[in-house]
Amino acid sequence: MNNLIPDALRDPAVLQAGQVLSINKPLRWTSFDIIKKLRTVLPIRKMGHAGTLDPLATGLLLICTGQKTKSISEFQDLEKVYTGTMVLGKTTPSIDLETPFDSERAYDHVRADELQAAANTFVGVISQVPPIYSAIKRQGKRAYKGARRGEDVVLEAREVFVRSFQIVTCDLPTITFEITCGKGTYIRSLVRDLGECLGTGAYMSALCRTRIGDHSLKDAYEMDAFQQLPPPASRSV
Amino acid sequence: MRVYQGSQDFPKTTNSVVAMGTFDGVHLGHQALIATMRQQAQSLGGDTTLLTFWPHPRLVLSREKSPGVQLLSSLDDKVDLLAAQGVDHLVVMEFTPSLMQMSAQDFVSEILVRHTGARCVIVGYDQRFGRGRVGDKALLQQQGAVHGFSVLEVPPLHIAGTVVGSTAIRAALLAGEVVRASEYLGRSYAMDCTLVLDRTVDGAFWLHPTLDHQLVPAAGHYIVAVAFHEQVHTAKVSITHAGLHDGPRLRLVSDTLPYHTTPHPPVQITFVRRLDA
């Protein structure tokens, strides 16, 4: 991780010509918070991020400045690598810790040697229902209302490519994983779907993006490094 | 009804009649608007498309000095209710800080025109959208002339001199007037909760609403219907809004609800009428 901002990055002309900044996004910051902060310490306003990270996720966020903002969509097409932690046995409507638990099931029937095989069923081109639908009970009966969801409600899925879904450690109910995937993949949906596959439900307790294409988190700047900069003397638009 | 997250995956259909809004409660006012949409779609030979936002924008905005909002329905409920109204497509837009920053103009050109392919945009009375609430019917009409869509304003629905809207429904519920609220909703007000046994008294349970920020009616005693494991029971609920602990408390008393073995089962309570004055 980098803690020294090179002088070139404080030059308005260089920033306007276009730079790609690798940032290690801190927990609880929105991707937009990063841009707001960078605008106060760098002499440029025109910047955008190439692929958002949720507030509860950390890791690599690429910020394009000046002319490089035109290339943002190219970065969004690149493959990404994430490491994360999921917890079996409980679910939340948002599949992360932003919302309270809404179900609880036993997990002691899960065998560690089955986990990788289960994760592998999500590798390749898969059809994925986006995470907002965990706020919508997807199938079958909402038994307490005595009514089945109408067959006429169809939740649209999206086709995405998962190159690999590796189980790294397992200490039930906690599992750590590493996922390599293409554009548009919802990690929360993978966590939710693996949890359903195992019959326990699951939520994601941590997520970190470690790569976007050839850009690695290892080379990213910490926000602290920017916050220590004095305010710029002049600013280009 | 097909449900999409975000507008970018929405397959642009021709002749789409589009309305946008939070549709909290999917009340009779909303239902009248949807009926108008369906008529319009039929005459255009097109589909009805609703754009809705989740979480409720006023919850996202509350960090920016908005007073927040008390919700009438969950996203789940809205999907069911809108499907029952015969909407063809529901686009659920995740209301993020960046969507919040989108200008009304960009919303029209990107979302309404480019993603949704609107042929006709339905707008409610004094409906506003976009950053700074700059977007209104006039902007839509001007943009419609440029991009080739018509704009149809739907007037508000009145019942006995009151505009049927979320404001009136919230006010009625907060005054304990659950019957009046149901007249505007077109059904009894319902809350999804988990049931927790009160071990101190037989037949008593605590209710924990599962929807964050859901509106809890005024303090008092109510007769409710409880849907539990495909059966409906009658019960009494007492609501207290005490100041000392977090939020309101809902206590349910029932002679017929069986003690449960699954921990914290989900139930739905619907408010039938209020008991005390």
Side-chain angles (χ1 to χ4, degrees), chain A residues 130-133 135-137 142-145 149 152-156 158, chain B residues 1-5 8-9 76-77 79-80 83 192 227 230 266 268:
Chain A
I132 205 164
Y133 300 141
I136 305 175
K137 306 296 183 287
R142 293 167 77 187
Y144 56 95
K145 294 191 186 182
R149 150 149 291 145
D152 54 307
V153 174
V154 176
L155 303 180
E156 288 296 303
R158 182 194 268 188
Chain B
M1 183 174 85
R2 305 189 79 85
V3 185
Y4 309 80
Q5 173 169 357
Q8 68 278 4
D9 288 339
D76 204 8
D77 289 334
V79 169
D80 281 339
D192 288 349
E230 296 175 59
Q268 185 186 62

PDB file of all heavy atoms in Angstrom, chain A residues 130-133 135-137 142-145 149 152-156 158, chain B residues 1-5 8-9 76-77 79-80 83 192 227 230 266 268:
ATOM      1  N   PRO A 130     -30.323 -10.507  -8.971  1.00  0.00           N
ATOM      2  CA  PRO A 130     -29.636  -9.451  -8.218  1.00  0.00           C
ATOM      3  C   PRO A 130     -30.023  -9.419  -6.742  1.00  0.00           C
ATOM      4  O   PRO A 130     -31.081  -9.891  -6.375  1.00  0.00           O
ATOM      5  CB  PRO A 130     -30.095  -8.168  -8.924  1.00  0.00           C
ATOM      6  CG  PRO A 130     -30.481  -8.595 -10.290  1.00  0.00           C
ATOM      7  CD  PRO A 130     -31.041  -9.973 -10.133  1.00  0.00           C
ATOM      8  N   PRO A 131     -29.163  -8.864  -5.891  1.00  0.00           N
ATOM      9  CA  PRO A 131     -29.366  -8.925  -4.444  1.00  0.00           C
ATOM     10  C   PRO A 131     -30.588  -8.190  -3.940  1.00  0.00           C
ATOM     11  O   PRO A 131     -31.092  -8.534  -2.887  1.00  0.00           O
ATOM     12  CB  PRO A 131     -28.085  -8.320  -3.848  1.00  0.00           C
ATOM     13  CG  PRO A 131     -27.341  -7.714  -4.965  1.00  0.00           C
ATOM     14  CD  PRO A 131     -27.859  -8.280  -6.224  1.00  0.00           C
ATOM     15  N   ILE A 132     -31.095  -7.183  -4.630  1.00  0.00           N
ATOM     16  CA  ILE A 132     -32.249  -6.469  -4.101  1.00  0.00           C
ATOM     17  C   ILE A 132     -33.412  -7.432  -3.946  1.00  0.00           C
ATOM     18  O   ILE A 132     -34.321  -7.188  -3.171  1.00  0.00           O
ATOM     19  CB  ILE A 132     -32.627  -5.254  -4.983  1.00  0.00           C
ATOM     20  CG1 ILE A 132     -33.360  -4.206  -4.151  1.00  0.00           C
ATOM     21  CG2 ILE A 132     -33.471  -5.668  -6.177  1.00  0.00           C
ATOM     22  CD1 ILE A 132     -33.416  -2.849  -4.821  1.00  0.00           C
ATOM     23  N   TYR A 133     -33.382  -8.535  -4.641  1.00  0.00           N
ATOM     24  CA  TYR A 133     -34.468  -9.486  -4.553  1.00  0.00           C
ATOM     25  C   TYR A 133     -34.443 -10.305  -3.288  1.00  0.00           C
ATOM     26  O   TYR A 133     -35.356 -11.053  -3.029  1.00  0.00           O
ATOM     27  CB  TYR A 133     -34.522 -10.384  -5.769  1.00  0.00           C
ATOM     28  CG  TYR A 133     -34.725  -9.604  -7.032  1.00  0.00           C
ATOM     29  CD1 TYR A 133     -34.079  -9.934  -8.191  1.00  0.00           C
ATOM     30  CD2 TYR A 133     -35.560  -8.494  -7.044  1.00  0.00           C
ATOM     31  CE1 TYR A 133     -34.248  -9.196  -9.332  1.00  0.00           C
ATOM     32  CE2 TYR A 133     -35.734  -7.743  -8.188  1.00  0.00           C
ATOM     33  CZ  TYR A 133     -35.081  -8.100  -9.324  1.00  0.00           C
ATOM     34  OH  TYR A 133     -35.241  -7.381 -10.450  1.00  0.00           O
ATOM     35  N   ALA A 135     -34.745  -8.883  -0.715  1.00  0.00           N
ATOM     36  CA  ALA A 135     -35.795  -8.131  -0.045  1.00  0.00           C
ATOM     37  C   ALA A 135     -37.157  -8.584  -0.559  1.00  0.00           C
ATOM     38  O   ALA A 135     -38.171  -8.250  -0.005  1.00  0.00           O
ATOM     39  CB  ALA A 135     -35.618  -6.638  -0.289  1.00  0.00           C
ATOM     40  N   ILE A 136     -37.152  -9.348  -1.625  1.00  0.00           N
ATOM     41  CA  ILE A 136     -38.388  -9.929  -2.145  1.00  0.00           C
ATOM     42  C   ILE A 136     -38.278 -11.430  -1.956  1.00  0.00           C
ATOM     43  O   ILE A 136     -37.333 -12.034  -2.427  1.00  0.00           O
ATOM     44  CB  ILE A 136     -38.555  -9.646  -3.650  1.00  0.00           C
ATOM     45  CG1 ILE A 136     -38.472  -8.150  -3.938  1.00  0.00           C
ATOM     46  CG2 ILE A 136     -39.847 -10.229  -4.157  1.00  0.00           C
ATOM     47  CD1 ILE A 136     -38.509  -7.830  -5.416  1.00  0.00           C
ATOM     48  N   LYS A 137     -39.214 -12.031  -1.264  1.00  0.00           N
ATOM     49  CA  LYS A 137     -39.170 -13.479  -1.098  1.00  0.00           C
ATOM     50  C   LYS A 137     -39.340 -14.098  -2.483  1.00  0.00           C
ATOM     51  O   LYS A 137     -40.287 -13.797  -3.186  1.00  0.00           O
ATOM     52  CB  LYS A 137     -40.299 -13.965  -0.188  1.00  0.00           C
ATOM     53  CG  LYS A 137     -40.355 -13.284   1.161  1.00  0.00           C
ATOM     54  CD  LYS A 137     -39.120 -13.574   1.994  1.00  0.00           C
ATOM     55  CE  LYS A 137     -39.200 -12.945   3.373  1.00  0.00           C
ATOM     56  NZ  LYS A 137     -39.032 -11.510   3.366  1.00  0.00           N
ATOM     57  N   ARG A 142     -45.346 -17.696   0.842  1.00  0.00           N
ATOM     58  CA  ARG A 142     -45.084 -16.910   2.041  1.00  0.00           C
ATOM     59  C   ARG A 142     -46.097 -17.497   3.004  1.00  0.00           C
ATOM     60  O   ARG A 142     -47.198 -17.019   3.136  1.00  0.00           O
ATOM     61  CB  ARG A 142     -45.327 -15.437   1.740  1.00  0.00           C
ATOM     62  CG  ARG A 142     -44.311 -14.908   0.758  1.00  0.00           C
ATOM     63  CD  ARG A 142     -44.705 -13.573   0.221  1.00  0.00           C
ATOM     64  NE  ARG A 142     -44.439 -12.532   1.186  1.00  0.00           N
ATOM     65  CZ  ARG A 142     -44.812 -11.277   1.023  1.00  0.00           C
ATOM     66  NH1 ARG A 142     -45.462 -10.909  -0.042  1.00  0.00           N
ATOM     67  NH2 ARG A 142     -44.530 -10.369   1.937  1.00  0.00           N
ATOM     68  N   ALA A 143     -45.699 -18.612   3.621  1.00  0.00           N
ATOM     69  CA  ALA A 143     -46.657 -19.494   4.291  1.00  0.00           C
ATOM     70  C   ALA A 143     -47.500 -18.778   5.321  1.00  0.00           C
ATOM     71  O   ALA A 143     -48.656 -19.107   5.523  1.00  0.00           O
ATOM     72  CB  ALA A 143     -45.907 -20.643   4.959  1.00  0.00           C
ATOM     73  N   TYR A 144     -46.930 -17.805   5.972  1.00  0.00           N
ATOM     74  CA  TYR A 144     -47.698 -17.155   7.013  1.00  0.00           C
ATOM     75  C   TYR A 144     -48.828 -16.315   6.443  1.00  0.00           C
ATOM     76  O   TYR A 144     -49.681 -15.847   7.157  1.00  0.00           O
ATOM     77  CB  TYR A 144     -46.785 -16.307   7.906  1.00  0.00           C
ATOM     78  CG  TYR A 144     -45.984 -15.274   7.174  1.00  0.00           C
ATOM     79  CD1 TYR A 144     -46.431 -13.968   7.062  1.00  0.00           C
ATOM     80  CD2 TYR A 144     -44.765 -15.608   6.595  1.00  0.00           C
ATOM     81  CE1 TYR A 144     -45.686 -13.021   6.395  1.00  0.00           C
ATOM     82  CE2 TYR A 144     -44.010 -14.666   5.926  1.00  0.00           C
ATOM     83  CZ  TYR A 144     -44.472 -13.368   5.823  1.00  0.00           C
ATOM     84  OH  TYR A 144     -43.734 -12.446   5.167  1.00  0.00           O
ATOM     85  N   LYS A 145     -48.811 -16.114   5.109  1.00  0.00           N
ATOM     86  CA  LYS A 145     -49.939 -15.398   4.532  1.00  0.00           C
ATOM     87  C   LYS A 145     -50.884 -16.369   3.826  1.00  0.00           C
ATOM     88  O   LYS A 145     -51.891 -15.978   3.288  1.00  0.00           O
ATOM     89  CB  LYS A 145     -49.446 -14.364   3.526  1.00  0.00           C
ATOM     90  CG  LYS A 145     -48.663 -13.274   4.186  1.00  0.00           C
ATOM     91  CD  LYS A 145     -48.406 -12.120   3.246  1.00  0.00           C
ATOM     92  CE  LYS A 145     -47.492 -11.129   3.909  1.00  0.00           C
ATOM     93  NZ  LYS A 145     -47.238  -9.965   3.065  1.00  0.00           N
ATOM     94  N   ARG A 149     -46.898 -16.701  -3.892  1.00  0.00           N
ATOM     95  CA  ARG A 149     -46.637 -15.558  -4.773  1.00  0.00           C
ATOM     96  C   ARG A 149     -47.161 -15.913  -6.147  1.00  0.00           C
ATOM     97  O   ARG A 149     -46.936 -17.008  -6.641  1.00  0.00           O
ATOM     98  CB  ARG A 149     -45.137 -15.273  -4.824  1.00  0.00           C
ATOM     99  CG  ARG A 149     -44.702 -14.680  -6.157  1.00  0.00           C
ATOM    100  CD  ARG A 149     -43.535 -13.746  -6.013  1.00  0.00           C
ATOM    101  NE  ARG A 149     -43.958 -12.559  -5.313  1.00  0.00           N
ATOM    102  CZ  ARG A 149     -43.186 -11.897  -4.459  1.00  0.00           C
ATOM    103  NH1 ARG A 149     -41.977 -12.319  -4.196  1.00  0.00           N
ATOM    104  NH2 ARG A 149     -43.630 -10.813  -3.869  1.00  0.00           N
ATOM    105  N   ASP A 152     -47.352 -15.104 -11.882  1.00  0.00           N
ATOM    106  CA  ASP A 152     -47.130 -14.069 -12.880  1.00  0.00           C
ATOM    107  C   ASP A 152     -46.064 -13.067 -12.474  1.00  0.00           C
ATOM    108  O   ASP A 152     -45.849 -12.093 -13.173  1.00  0.00           O
ATOM    109  CB  ASP A 152     -48.452 -13.337 -13.211  1.00  0.00           C
ATOM    110  CG  ASP A 152     -49.118 -12.816 -11.972  1.00  0.00           C
ATOM    111  OD1 ASP A 152     -49.313 -13.629 -11.039  1.00  0.00           O
ATOM    112  OD2 ASP A 152     -49.435 -11.621 -11.907  1.00  0.00           O
ATOM    113  N   VAL A 153     -45.403 -13.268 -11.333  1.00  0.00           N
ATOM    114  CA  VAL A 153     -44.275 -12.388 -10.988  1.00  0.00           C
ATOM    115  C   VAL A 153     -42.985 -13.105 -11.347  1.00  0.00           C
ATOM    116  O   VAL A 153     -42.697 -14.179 -10.846  1.00  0.00           O
ATOM    117  CB  VAL A 153     -44.273 -12.031  -9.485  1.00  0.00           C
ATOM    118  CG1 VAL A 153     -43.010 -11.250  -9.123  1.00  0.00           C
ATOM    119  CG2 VAL A 153     -45.505 -11.224  -9.134  1.00  0.00           C
ATOM    120  N   VAL A 154     -42.229 -12.531 -12.250  1.00  0.00           N
ATOM    121  CA  VAL A 154     -40.972 -13.136 -12.706  1.00  0.00           C
ATOM    122  C   VAL A 154     -39.834 -12.186 -12.368  1.00  0.00           C
ATOM    123  O   VAL A 154     -39.818 -11.054 -12.820  1.00  0.00           O
ATOM    124  CB  VAL A 154     -41.004 -13.373 -14.236  1.00  0.00           C
ATOM    125  CG1 VAL A 154     -39.662 -13.909 -14.726  1.00  0.00           C
ATOM    126  CG2 VAL A 154     -42.125 -14.337 -14.603  1.00  0.00           C
ATOM    127  N   LEU A 155     -38.897 -12.654 -11.559  1.00  0.00           N
ATOM    128  CA  LEU A 155     -37.751 -11.818 -11.192  1.00  0.00           C
ATOM    129  C   LEU A 155     -36.661 -12.000 -12.241  1.00  0.00           C
ATOM    130  O   LEU A 155     -36.181 -13.103 -12.463  1.00  0.00           O
ATOM    131  CB  LEU A 155     -37.241 -12.206  -9.808  1.00  0.00           C
ATOM    132  CG  LEU A 155     -38.290 -12.129  -8.708  1.00  0.00           C
ATOM    133  CD1 LEU A 155     -37.690 -12.534  -7.371  1.00  0.00           C
ATOM    134  CD2 LEU A 155     -38.858 -10.728  -8.591  1.00  0.00           C
ATOM    135  N   GLU A 156     -36.294 -10.911 -12.902  1.00  0.00           N
ATOM    136  CA  GLU A 156     -35.318 -10.991 -13.987  1.00  0.00           C
ATOM    137  C   GLU A 156     -33.935 -11.314 -13.458  1.00  0.00           C
ATOM    138  O   GLU A 156     -33.457 -10.707 -12.501  1.00  0.00           O
ATOM    139  CB  GLU A 156     -35.251  -9.662 -14.742  1.00  0.00           C
ATOM    140  CG  GLU A 156     -36.471  -9.400 -15.598  1.00  0.00           C
ATOM    141  CD  GLU A 156     -36.630 -10.423 -16.713  1.00  0.00           C
ATOM    142  OE1 GLU A 156     -35.684 -10.568 -17.509  1.00  0.00           O
ATOM    143  OE2 GLU A 156     -37.671 -11.060 -16.775  1.00  0.00           O
ATOM    144  N   ARG A 158     -29.736 -12.081 -14.404  1.00  0.00           N
ATOM    145  CA  ARG A 158     -28.706 -11.548 -15.294  1.00  0.00           C
ATOM    146  C   ARG A 158     -27.654 -12.631 -15.507  1.00  0.00           C
ATOM    147  O   ARG A 158     -27.304 -13.348 -14.559  1.00  0.00           O
ATOM    148  CB  ARG A 158     -28.094 -10.344 -14.592  1.00  0.00           C
ATOM    149  CG  ARG A 158     -27.046  -9.610 -15.369  1.00  0.00           C
ATOM    150  CD  ARG A 158     -26.300  -8.687 -14.442  1.00  0.00           C
ATOM    151  NE  ARG A 158     -26.869  -7.354 -14.406  1.00  0.00           N
ATOM    152  CZ  ARG A 158     -26.298  -6.337 -13.777  1.00  0.00           C
ATOM    153  NH1 ARG A 158     -25.169  -6.505 -13.135  1.00  0.00           N
ATOM    154  NH2 ARG A 158     -26.854  -5.161 -13.772  1.00  0.00           N
TER     155      ARG A 158
ATOM    156  N   MET B   1     -46.025 -10.101 -14.326  1.00  0.00           N
ATOM    157  CA  MET B   1     -45.214  -8.892 -14.174  1.00  0.00           C
ATOM    158  C   MET B   1     -43.747  -9.307 -14.070  1.00  0.00           C
ATOM    159  O   MET B   1     -43.401 -10.206 -13.313  1.00  0.00           O
ATOM    160  CB  MET B   1     -45.613  -8.141 -12.893  1.00  0.00           C
ATOM    161  CG  MET B   1     -44.835  -6.837 -12.726  1.00  0.00           C
ATOM    162  SD  MET B   1     -45.424  -5.892 -11.317  1.00  0.00           S
ATOM    163  CE  MET B   1     -44.482  -6.654 -10.003  1.00  0.00           C
ATOM    164  N   ARG B   2     -42.911  -8.640 -14.846  1.00  0.00           N
ATOM    165  CA  ARG B   2     -41.473  -8.916 -14.783  1.00  0.00           C
ATOM    166  C   ARG B   2     -40.820  -7.855 -13.905  1.00  0.00           C
ATOM    167  O   ARG B   2     -41.128  -6.674 -14.008  1.00  0.00           O
ATOM    168  CB  ARG B   2     -40.864  -8.912 -16.187  1.00  0.00           C
ATOM    169  CG  ARG B   2     -41.570  -9.868 -17.142  1.00  0.00           C
ATOM    170  CD  ARG B   2     -40.826 -10.024 -18.450  1.00  0.00           C
ATOM    171  NE  ARG B   2     -39.704 -10.920 -18.327  1.00  0.00           N
ATOM    172  CZ  ARG B   2     -39.764 -12.247 -18.441  1.00  0.00           C
ATOM    173  NH1 ARG B   2     -40.904 -12.838 -18.674  1.00  0.00           N
ATOM    174  NH2 ARG B   2     -38.680 -12.963 -18.310  1.00  0.00           N
ATOM    175  N   VAL B   3     -39.913  -8.290 -13.055  1.00  0.00           N
ATOM    176  CA  VAL B   3     -39.261  -7.372 -12.116  1.00  0.00           C
ATOM    177  C   VAL B   3     -37.781  -7.296 -12.446  1.00  0.00           C
ATOM    178  O   VAL B   3     -37.122  -8.323 -12.559  1.00  0.00           O
ATOM    179  CB  VAL B   3     -39.451  -7.856 -10.661  1.00  0.00           C
ATOM    180  CG1 VAL B   3     -38.874  -6.844  -9.685  1.00  0.00           C
ATOM    181  CG2 VAL B   3     -40.917  -8.129 -10.356  1.00  0.00           C
ATOM    182  N   TYR B   4     -37.258  -6.098 -12.594  1.00  0.00           N
ATOM    183  CA  TYR B   4     -35.850  -5.882 -12.942  1.00  0.00           C
ATOM    184  C   TYR B   4     -35.181  -5.059 -11.857  1.00  0.00           C
ATOM    185  O   TYR B   4     -35.783  -4.134 -11.314  1.00  0.00           O
ATOM    186  CB  TYR B   4     -35.712  -5.084 -14.245  1.00  0.00           C
ATOM    187  CG  TYR B   4     -36.524  -5.630 -15.395  1.00  0.00           C
ATOM    188  CD1 TYR B   4     -37.884  -5.374 -15.496  1.00  0.00           C
ATOM    189  CD2 TYR B   4     -35.917  -6.402 -16.384  1.00  0.00           C
ATOM    190  CE1 TYR B   4     -38.631  -5.872 -16.542  1.00  0.00           C
ATOM    191  CE2 TYR B   4     -36.659  -6.907 -17.451  1.00  0.00           C
ATOM    192  CZ  TYR B   4     -38.020  -6.632 -17.516  1.00  0.00           C
ATOM    193  OH  TYR B   4     -38.753  -7.133 -18.560  1.00  0.00           O
ATOM    194  N   GLN B   5     -33.911  -5.368 -11.566  1.00  0.00           N
ATOM    195  CA  GLN B   5     -33.157  -4.466 -10.705  1.00  0.00           C
ATOM    196  C   GLN B   5     -32.370  -3.538 -11.590  1.00  0.00           C
ATOM    197  O   GLN B   5     -31.553  -3.980 -12.383  1.00  0.00           O
ATOM    198  CB  GLN B   5     -32.203  -5.220  -9.766  1.00  0.00           C
ATOM    199  CG  GLN B   5     -31.325  -4.229  -9.008  1.00  0.00           C
ATOM    200  CD  GLN B   5     -30.539  -4.834  -7.864  1.00  0.00           C
ATOM    201  OE1 GLN B   5     -30.667  -6.013  -7.566  1.00  0.00           O
ATOM    202  NE2 GLN B   5     -29.726  -4.019  -7.237  1.00  0.00           N
ATOM    203  N   GLN B   8     -30.742  -0.628 -16.503  1.00  0.00           N
ATOM    204  CA  GLN B   8     -29.842  -0.892 -17.625  1.00  0.00           C
ATOM    205  C   GLN B   8     -30.089  -2.246 -18.275  1.00  0.00           C
ATOM    206  O   GLN B   8     -29.789  -2.430 -19.438  1.00  0.00           O
ATOM    207  CB  GLN B   8     -28.365  -0.764 -17.204  1.00  0.00           C
ATOM    208  CG  GLN B   8     -27.867  -1.814 -16.241  1.00  0.00           C
ATOM    209  CD  GLN B   8     -28.214  -1.507 -14.790  1.00  0.00           C
ATOM    210  OE1 GLN B   8     -28.903  -0.538 -14.510  1.00  0.00           O
ATOM    211  NE2 GLN B   8     -27.750  -2.332 -13.884  1.00  0.00           N
ATOM    212  N   ASP B   9     -30.661  -3.194 -17.524  1.00  0.00           N
ATOM    213  CA  ASP B   9     -30.951  -4.515 -18.106  1.00  0.00           C
ATOM    214  C   ASP B   9     -32.335  -4.582 -18.714  1.00  0.00           C
ATOM    215  O   ASP B   9     -32.726  -5.601 -19.254  1.00  0.00           O
ATOM    216  CB  ASP B   9     -30.857  -5.603 -17.015  1.00  0.00           C
ATOM    217  CG  ASP B   9     -29.439  -5.855 -16.591  1.00  0.00           C
ATOM    218  OD1 ASP B   9     -28.521  -5.519 -17.368  1.00  0.00           O
ATOM    219  OD2 ASP B   9     -29.225  -6.390 -15.488  1.00  0.00           O
ATOM    220  N   ASP B  76     -41.254  -6.284  -1.010  1.00  0.00           N
ATOM    221  CA  ASP B  76     -41.959  -7.541  -1.240  1.00  0.00           C
ATOM    222  C   ASP B  76     -43.455  -7.313  -1.433  1.00  0.00           C
ATOM    223  O   ASP B  76     -44.068  -7.790  -2.378  1.00  0.00           O
ATOM    224  CB  ASP B  76     -41.720  -8.414  -0.008  1.00  0.00           C
ATOM    225  CG  ASP B  76     -41.862  -9.876  -0.306  1.00  0.00           C
ATOM    226  OD1 ASP B  76     -41.992 -10.241  -1.484  1.00  0.00           O
ATOM    227  OD2 ASP B  76     -41.847 -10.654   0.661  1.00  0.00           O
ATOM    228  N   ASP B  77     -44.060  -6.561  -0.512  1.00  0.00           N
ATOM    229  CA  ASP B  77     -45.490  -6.254  -0.597  1.00  0.00           C
ATOM    230  C   ASP B  77     -45.793  -5.498  -1.874  1.00  0.00           C
ATOM    231  O   ASP B  77     -46.777  -5.764  -2.559  1.00  0.00           O
ATOM    232  CB  ASP B  77     -45.923  -5.367   0.574  1.00  0.00           C
ATOM    233  CG  ASP B  77     -45.927  -6.103   1.897  1.00  0.00           C
ATOM    234  OD1 ASP B  77     -46.092  -7.335   1.882  1.00  0.00           O
ATOM    235  OD2 ASP B  77     -45.759  -5.437   2.931  1.00  0.00           O
ATOM    236  N   VAL B  79     -44.257  -5.478  -4.695  1.00  0.00           N
ATOM    237  CA  VAL B  79     -44.182  -6.343  -5.876  1.00  0.00           C
ATOM    238  C   VAL B  79     -45.485  -7.118  -6.029  1.00  0.00           C
ATOM    239  O   VAL B  79     -46.086  -7.157  -7.100  1.00  0.00           O
ATOM    240  CB  VAL B  79     -42.981  -7.301  -5.769  1.00  0.00           C
ATOM    241  CG1 VAL B  79     -43.037  -8.385  -6.838  1.00  0.00           C
ATOM    242  CG2 VAL B  79     -41.678  -6.527  -5.879  1.00  0.00           C
ATOM    243  N   ASP B  80     -45.953  -7.721  -4.935  1.00  0.00           N
ATOM    244  CA  ASP B  80     -47.215  -8.469  -4.987  1.00  0.00           C
ATOM    245  C   ASP B  80     -48.379  -7.575  -5.366  1.00  0.00           C
ATOM    246  O   ASP B  80     -49.214  -7.924  -6.208  1.00  0.00           O
ATOM    247  CB  ASP B  80     -47.510  -9.092  -3.611  1.00  0.00           C
ATOM    248  CG  ASP B  80     -46.716 -10.354  -3.356  1.00  0.00           C
ATOM    249  OD1 ASP B  80     -46.253 -10.973  -4.327  1.00  0.00           O
ATOM    250  OD2 ASP B  80     -46.562 -10.713  -2.174  1.00  0.00           O
ATOM    251  N   ALA B  83     -48.183  -6.367  -8.994  1.00  0.00           N
ATOM    252  CA  ALA B  83     -48.485  -7.459  -9.928  1.00  0.00           C
ATOM    253  C   ALA B  83     -49.993  -7.668 -10.003  1.00  0.00           C
ATOM    254  O   ALA B  83     -50.554  -7.878 -11.082  1.00  0.00           O
ATOM    255  CB  ALA B  83     -47.792  -8.745  -9.478  1.00  0.00           C
ATOM    256  N   ASP B 192     -45.682  -7.136   8.568  1.00  0.00           N
ATOM    257  CA  ASP B 192     -44.982  -8.409   8.716  1.00  0.00           C
ATOM    258  C   ASP B 192     -44.129  -8.317   9.974  1.00  0.00           C
ATOM    259  O   ASP B 192     -43.393  -7.347  10.152  1.00  0.00           O
ATOM    260  CB  ASP B 192     -44.062  -8.674   7.517  1.00  0.00           C
ATOM    261  CG  ASP B 192     -44.830  -9.018   6.251  1.00  0.00           C
ATOM    262  OD1 ASP B 192     -46.048  -9.254   6.347  1.00  0.00           O
ATOM    263  OD2 ASP B 192     -44.217  -9.040   5.165  1.00  0.00           O
ATOM    264  N   ALA B 227     -52.065 -13.848  10.441  1.00  0.00           N
ATOM    265  CA  ALA B 227     -51.862 -14.956   9.518  1.00  0.00           C
ATOM    266  C   ALA B 227     -50.616 -15.699   9.984  1.00  0.00           C
ATOM    267  O   ALA B 227     -49.531 -15.133  10.059  1.00  0.00           O
ATOM    268  CB  ALA B 227     -51.698 -14.442   8.103  1.00  0.00           C
ATOM    269  N   GLU B 230     -50.591 -20.446   7.497  1.00  0.00           N
ATOM    270  CA  GLU B 230     -51.770 -20.620   6.627  1.00  0.00           C
ATOM    271  C   GLU B 230     -53.092 -20.573   7.370  1.00  0.00           C
ATOM    272  O   GLU B 230     -54.129 -20.893   6.822  1.00  0.00           O
ATOM    273  CB  GLU B 230     -51.685 -21.926   5.833  1.00  0.00           C
ATOM    274  CG  GLU B 230     -50.506 -21.939   4.876  1.00  0.00           C
ATOM    275  CD  GLU B 230     -50.357 -23.269   4.182  1.00  0.00           C
ATOM    276  OE1 GLU B 230     -51.314 -23.679   3.503  1.00  0.00           O
ATOM    277  OE2 GLU B 230     -49.296 -23.895   4.341  1.00  0.00           O
ATOM    278  N   PRO B 266     -42.342 -16.032  11.327  1.00  0.00           N
ATOM    279  CA  PRO B 266     -42.895 -14.812  10.741  1.00  0.00           C
ATOM    280  C   PRO B 266     -44.420 -14.862  10.733  1.00  0.00           C
ATOM    281  O   PRO B 266     -45.005 -15.927  10.537  1.00  0.00           O
ATOM    282  CB  PRO B 266     -42.345 -14.829   9.319  1.00  0.00           C
ATOM    283  CG  PRO B 266     -42.099 -16.264   9.009  1.00  0.00           C
ATOM    284  CD  PRO B 266     -41.878 -16.981  10.298  1.00  0.00           C
ATOM    285  N   GLN B 268     -48.094 -12.236   9.752  1.00  0.00           N
ATOM    286  CA  GLN B 268     -48.543 -10.946   9.261  1.00  0.00           C
ATOM    287  C   GLN B 268     -49.756 -10.540  10.075  1.00  0.00           C
ATOM    288  O   GLN B 268     -50.691 -11.331  10.234  1.00  0.00           O
ATOM    289  CB  GLN B 268     -48.921 -11.000   7.789  1.00  0.00           C
ATOM    290  CG  GLN B 268     -49.274  -9.598   7.252  1.00  0.00           C
ATOM    291  CD  GLN B 268     -49.792  -9.619   5.839  1.00  0.00           C
ATOM    292  OE1 GLN B 268     -50.815 -10.215   5.544  1.00  0.00           O
ATOM    293  NE2 GLN B 268     -49.070  -8.962   4.960  1.00  0.00           N
TER     294      GLN B 268
END
